[in-house]
Amino acid sequence: MNVLLDNFPEFRDGFIGTVSITAVSSVIALVLGVVIAGFRVSPVPPLRVFGTAWVTLLRNTPLTLLFLIFFFVVPEILFPGMSPFLLGSLALGFYTSSFVCEAVRSGINTVPLGQAEAARSIGMTFAQTLRMVVLPQATRTVIPPLSSIFIALTKNSAIAGAFSVTELFGWQKLMSDRGYEITPVFIWVALGYLVVTFVISGLFRLLERRMEVAR
Amino acid sequence: MSASVLYDAPGPKAVVRNRVYAVVGSLAILALIGVSVMRLADKGHLAPEMWDIFNYAGIRQNIADAVLATLKVFALAAVGSLVLGVVLAIARLSEHRPVRWLATAFIEVFRSIPLLITIYAVWVGFLTDYSMWALAAGLSVYNGCVQAEVLRAGINSVPKGQGEAAYALGMSKTQVMAGVLIPQAVRAMLPTIISQLVVTLKDTSLGFIILYPELLQTARLIASNTQVNGQYPYVSTIAVIGTIYVAMCLLLSALATWIEKRGRRAKTGIVTASTAGPTEAPGALGTPGGPAGAPGPASKD
């Protein structure tokens, strides 16, 4: 208990750090993932190849290596002096985007072909088919996998702590450097992550219930 | 691609439009790559000396040692996680309520805590001088929990009659489990189990944070200890090490796909879980998505 009370400001900063890096990289992952999924289902071969390469590469690279790339290689290509927070969010977001992409793609693939054919046969345009028939159904199938992807992202954000981004793992490290017993530290950090992941799964369950329809 | 929900087979106008998109798209991608390469060349990262360092016997030896260290931890963690997975899965299906609860609590807790946190705690708390064992232990605990859920789903996917028939023959519970249920469960879940092993392999890179001299840690040491033209060869080292990692993971994934194809050919009546790709879930700390054809692991987190 003392560990938490004595070091509460640092813990609070770490917690806020975890929440904000999760939020920022979720947005990056979602946007990139949907775009890449669009590439992968598009009728344009080079874009499809690019999407496939993107997913294969990012999925088979350890996230830690990706962090190394973003902290040491990317600043050389883009402008140097980006903040660790931004670099960390980008690494996490890029990594997770490949999983989002696959979830979205399989969501689109689960919509029965007949649905779109029926829509076209009653004279709907492409945009109408997409907006009124395909996307609503795809979104519903995508929500459960997205939920576990974002929970995994929260857990992955711990690695950012090792790359000098302020978040909960950083607090664990700091406390063990200060010589506190590791078990209580571990429990508090774990609780911190549990709070974030519970909120995410709660939000997604809410979303799922609101979008539920009888099929 | 005529079987897509999104569009019909393209007509002449659409064909032209698609060609235009193809050209514009490839140009954009090529430009992106070109600009990156040019920027790196400007900073001197593509100079031959930067890549020459991999011709030194010392550095080659370092990398070989690191690959070995990575594989060693991976082997330990793979065995550890599979053993723990079987034990936890059986405990979760136990008839004794306390055992069931304990196993469920253990799985839920360690599955929802970031792996890095667990590894670090094990390292600082118990195995400070044995980073290899700390890494292996952390990986085993986390992946064991995930494997347990995979196995449980597999056991549940075995038709009920199989167990009942075995009991009717007078087999004991242990015999039913070891002789009838688990072999079928493993067979059904093999692709998912291997996918999770790919995740385990990727996660060995977390050893970098507890200073275990695995591939990534070695990469960082090489890059920060060698100076070429007044610069640290991060770009070349990361390119080489990254290639090794991707190759190792792709090999394991290919194994999973191969096994899945073999499993599909055999007509045993057991549904083989499909691997959607190399890894089912967001790698490092992910949970495998529910495999098709078998009830997915209960994801309560």
Side-chain angles (χ1 to χ4, degrees):
Chain A
M1 199 66 203
N2 279 339
V3 194
L4 184 69
L5 292 181
D6 294 351
N7 303 285
F8 191 70
E10 287 98 333
F11 183 81
R12 190 194 50 210
D13 289 347
F15 185 75
I16 294 173
T18 294
V19 172
S20 40
I21 196 168
T22 304
V24 172
S25 43
S26 299
V27 173
I28 296 173
L30 203 58
V31 172
L32 262 179
V34 171
V35 171
I36 302 288
F39 282 6
R40 286 204 74 173
V41 298
S42 77
V44 186
L47 293 185
R48 274 210 304 271
V49 170
F50 177 73
T52 314
W54 177 280
V55 171
T56 313
L57 267 182
L58 284 178
R59 270 187 161 198
N60 286 297
T61 311
L63 181 55
T64 330
L65 179 70
L66 211 60
F67 266 98
L68 219 59
I69 293 174
F70 269 86
F71 277 78
F72 290 105
V73 179
V74 170
E76 298 281 293
I77 297 172
L78 296 171
F79 29 91
M82 288 160 87
S83 73
F85 178 81
L86 192 62
L87 289 170
S89 311
L90 281 174
L92 259 179
F94 270 57
Y95 180 74
T96 315
S97 77
S98 64
F99 297 97
V100 173
C101 164
E102 287 306 89
V104 170
R105 193 169 70 101
S106 59
I108 290 174
N109 284 340
T110 55
V111 177
L113 197 57
Q115 297 275 338
E117 282 171 355
R120 276 197 286 269
S121 71
I122 59 170
M124 281 185 164
T125 63
F126 176 73
Q128 279 174 325
T129 313
L130 205 63
R131 190 165 53 87
M132 288 153 62
V133 178
V134 175
L135 277 188
Q137 300 187 55
T139 314
R140 258 174 231 128
T141 25
V142 164
I143 284 176
L146 273 191
S147 156
S148 56
I149 287 171
F150 285 130
I151 286 168
L153 179 136
T154 313
K155 294 192 280 169
N156 282 334
S157 73
I159 299 175
F163 286 83
S164 65
V165 179
T166 317
E167 57 81 73
L168 281 172
F169 173 67
W171 188 75
Q172 186 189 22
K173 238 163 98 177
L174 184 72
M175 289 305 108
S176 76
D177 286 348
R178 286 190 188 166
Y180 283 98
E181 193 81 43
I182 192 70
T183 318
V185 175
F186 175 75
I187 293 172
W188 287 118
V189 172
L191 279 178
Y193 280 104
L194 283 184
V195 168
V196 183
T197 49
F198 267 131
V199 170
I200 293 178
S201 63
L203 280 180
F204 270 94
R205 209 162 298 149
L206 206 74
L207 209 61
E208 222 175 308
R209 205 170 308 144
R210 293 204 57 175
M211 300 186 70
E212 205 171 37
V213 282
R215 264 210 239 179
Chain B
M1 284 305 289
S2 56
S4 167
V5 205
L6 293 178
Y7 41 81
D8 274 322
K13 247 168 142 184
V15 165
V16 172
R17 205 170 49 221
N18 285 349
R19 284 216 183 106
V20 172
Y21 287 150
V23 170
V24 173
S26 354
L27 282 182
I29 295 165
L30 284 180
L32 214 67
I33 296 171
V35 167
S36 310
V37 169
M38 245 164 56
R39 296 276 296 181
L40 286 178
D42 276 353
K43 300 260 169 87
H45 286 293
L46 301 183
E49 301 89 59
M50 280 289 186
W51 300 80
D52 229 22
I53 56 171
F54 297 105
N55 283 330
Y56 298 141
I59 286 190
R60 285 191 172 180
Q61 190 57 47
N62 277 348
I63 293 179
D65 288 348
V67 171
L68 213 66
T70 296
L71 290 178
K72 214 154 65 184
V73 149
F74 170 62
L76 282 174
V79 171
S81 66
L82 288 175
V83 169
L84 190 67
V86 170
V87 170
L88 282 174
I90 291 174
R92 253 203 105 158
L93 293 167
S94 162
E95 281 143 20
H96 307 288
R97 215 173 277 164
V99 176
R100 213 160 57 214
W101 283 346
L102 221 68
T104 312
F106 187 86
I107 291 174
E108 290 300 330
V109 165
F110 281 100
R111 220 166 54 132
S112 36
I113 292 171
L115 177 54
L116 179 56
I117 302 284
T118 312
I119 291 177
Y120 193 78
V122 171
W123 184 57
V124 171
F126 308 101
L127 296 162
T128 318
D129 300 325
Y130 308 95
S131 56
M132 181 177 84
W133 292 104
L135 182 59
L139 283 170
S140 299
V141 167
Y142 174 77
N143 289 291
C145 291
V146 179
Q147 300 282 21
E149 290 298 277
V150 173
L151 273 176
R152 194 170 65 96
I155 290 175
N156 284 336
S157 78
V158 175
K160 236 183 163 178
Q162 299 272 337
E164 284 165 2
Y167 280 120
L169 285 175
M171 287 173 135
S172 70
K173 171 135 201 230
T174 321
Q175 282 174 318
V176 174
M177 269 289 170
V180 179
L181 294 183
I182 290 186
Q184 300 196 56
V186 169
R187 184 134 163 55
M189 285 304 178
L190 210 49
T192 316
I193 291 172
I194 296 182
S195 297
Q196 188 57 34
L197 286 182
V198 178
V199 176
T200 313
L201 178 59
K202 288 201 300 177
D203 287 356
T204 56
S205 67
L206 291 175
F208 154 77
I209 286 147
I210 61 167
L211 308 177
Y212 175 66
E214 46 77 56
L215 206 43
L216 203 63
Q217 166 74 358
T218 307
R220 205 181 56 151
L221 287 182
I222 291 175
S224 57
N225 287 337
T226 359
Q227 224 178 4
V228 187
N229 299 343
Q231 266 188 323
Y232 298 106
Y234 271 105
V235 176
S236 52
T237 322
I238 286 176
V240 170
I241 300 292
T243 313
I244 297 177
Y245 266 118
V246 173
M248 287 199 300
C249 293
L250 282 180
L251 272 178
L252 253 182
S253 312
L255 182 69
T257 320
W258 181 70
I259 286 178
E260 192 203 339
K261 277 206 190 106
R262 274 196 54 191
R264 221 186 271 137
R265 212 171 47 207
K267 300 238 182 330
T268 47
I270 308 168
V271 190
T272 311
S274 69
T275 35
T279 48
E280 281 263 339
L285 312 156
T287 48
S299 50
K300 278 184 212 136
D301 49 352

